[in-house]
Amino acid sequence: MGNPNLEAALNAMAQIETVLLSEKRNNLQDHVDKFVTQLVNQLIFLNNSNHPDIVSCYRLNFALLMKLYNYPELSCKVSEGVIKDVIHQLISLLTEKKLEMYDTTEMFVKVVNCLVLRILERSEHTASTCALLKLLYETVNNDSLLPLYQELVMKCIWRVLKRIPEWDEVEELDYDRILPDVHTFLKVSTDHFVRFSVIYLLFLFD
């Protein structure tokens, strides 16, 4: 799927889609990280491609991620690092306006927004929270990222903040994993509003 040959990538994604929609999808449980990483690599390639079938590739890529996250037995297997990578690529698509050159821009933007929310909601919640905190940390003094990038990461974090009490009732969050990421960010951030938001996160864990 991460093949720069888009025809081969489309065929591979179509085959994976067939598996996802069948009872054989459970065979993917030990390979979910590799599967999502290949989709991330495909997005990186698409962002720099002018191939005439690029819209089809974006559409199928997004559809596969959506379908993967329909199945909790698969989505909970995605690791923190891979969650971080896929959210980074999706937010970058929004901030760098990569989708604006296509006729389906409005639809793609809605899909990407929905996809980010679905990933946050249906991933293992400690992993998704840590992934966001690491993305936020990487925005500090990073001129290569547009201000909108941090704004969108913060919107994701506020979404998480609203859901933490509910999540904690059904799934015990691993504070030993989350709190070091909070403290690491607070050591370097000078943005008062962002610091307030992250400090509020600390109070939720108290």
Side-chain angles (χ1 to χ4, degrees), residues 52-168:
D53 282 338
I54 193 169
V55 171
S56 297
C57 277
Y58 271 124
R59 185 179 289 114
L60 190 48
N61 190 298
F62 297 154
L64 281 176
L65 280 169
M66 281 285 192
K67 286 168 183 170
L68 170 72
Y69 275 89
N70 281 337
Y71 303 107
E73 66 273 22
L74 298 179
S75 62
C76 70
K77 300 287 187 179
V78 184
S79 68
E80 175 188 322
V82 175
I83 294 169
K84 175 176 172 286
D85 289 344
V86 69
I87 291 179
H88 167 69
Q89 283 304 318
L90 293 172
I91 289 179
S92 294
L93 274 175
L94 297 175
T95 59
E96 296 171 12
K97 314 294 185 185
K98 295 288 187 181
L99 302 174
E100 288 190 352
M101 66 185 76
Y102 308 114
D103 294 337
T104 51
T105 295
E106 186 175 349
M107 179 195 73
F108 274 171
V109 169
K110 288 181 180 178
V111 169
V112 171
N113 277 300
C114 289
L115 189 48
V116 170
L117 293 178
R118 180 170 293 197
I119 290 169
L120 294 177
E121 292 282 348
R122 301 189 181 183
S123 294
E124 194 268 316
H125 293 134
T126 296
S128 60
T129 303
C130 289
L132 285 176
L133 287 166
K134 286 181 170 66
L135 286 174
L136 187 62
Y137 172 80
E138 290 178 0
T139 66
V140 178
N141 298 322
N142 188 343
D143 295 334
S144 68
L145 296 173
L146 297 171
L148 180 58
Y149 183 96
Q150 185 184 76
E151 180 183 329
L152 292 177
V153 173
M154 279 306 306
K155 284 183 177 180
C156 291
I157 287 178
W158 274 106
R159 178 85 176 192
V160 166
L161 289 174
K162 291 177 182 178
R163 299 303 303 275
I164 280 177
E166 178 185 335
W167 289 349
D168 226 8

Side-chain angles (χ1 to χ4, degrees), residues 39-54:
L39 289 175
V40 170
N41 291 338
Q42 190 66 49
L43 284 175
I44 294 170
F45 174 74
L46 292 175
N47 292 347
N48 298 291
S49 174
N50 294 313
H51 194 282
D53 282 338
I54 193 169

